[in-house]
Amino acid sequence: SDEFNLILVSDHGMVNIKKHVFLDDYFVDGVDGEIWSESGNLVHIKPLIETNLLLEKLKKMENVSVVIKSDMPEYLHYKSNDRIGDLILMDDEGVGIIHM
């Protein structure tokens, strides 16, 4: 028979990226902070300047939420994980964060 079943799975989801936000327009790597991890939709940062000052700079990014690790909801289990940056950037659906 020519019939078959096809199942597509993804552990990160699949969304069309319609807009990009350039992190370098708001953040200087190695000066403002260190990027621990980046995946296009999540960026983990360790501040090298005062956290509140960096937070204000990063909050100017459109379509991106900036969260302090200690303020993360309990159900995400981020607060006690030492592999998570002090600041986490999370983009809106359909937005990608680019860092050069």
Side-chain angles (χ1 to χ4, degrees):
S1 157
D2 291 337
E3 292 184 31
F4 65 94
N5 293 323
L6 175 65
I7 299 172
L8 297 175
V9 296
S10 172
D11 62 345
H12 294 286
M14 300 170 130
V15 173
N16 290 329
I17 301 298
K18 298 175 183 170
K19 179 179 180 178
H20 290 95
V21 177
F22 295 93
L23 177 58
D24 298 337
D25 290 345
Y26 306 89
F27 174 83
V28 180
D29 192 18
V31 175
D32 292 329
E34 295 176 348
I35 295 177
W36 280 21
S37 172
E38 60 179 305
S39 65
N41 65 336
L42 280 176
V43 179
H44 299 265
I45 296 175
K46 178 178 180 174
L48 294 176
I49 62 175
E50 182 187 337
T51 300
N52 287 336
L53 179 59
L54 182 53
L55 192 61
E56 290 307 312
K57 290 178 78 170
L58 295 172
K59 281 187 173 184
K60 294 177 183 174
M61 298 176 72
E62 292 183 18
N63 304 107
V64 175
S65 299
V66 184
V67 181
I68 298 173
K69 178 180 174 178
S70 60
D71 292 342
M72 292 297 285
E74 290 293 335
Y75 71 89
L76 293 176
H77 306 287
Y78 268 37
K79 288 182 183 183
S80 61
N81 191 324
D82 58 359
R83 294 175 50 198
I84 304 301
D86 296 334
L87 294 178
I88 300 100
L89 307 181
M90 300 180 293
D91 61 6
D92 294 344
E93 185 175 319
V95 176
I97 301 171
I98 296 179
H99 166 64
M100 301 291 187

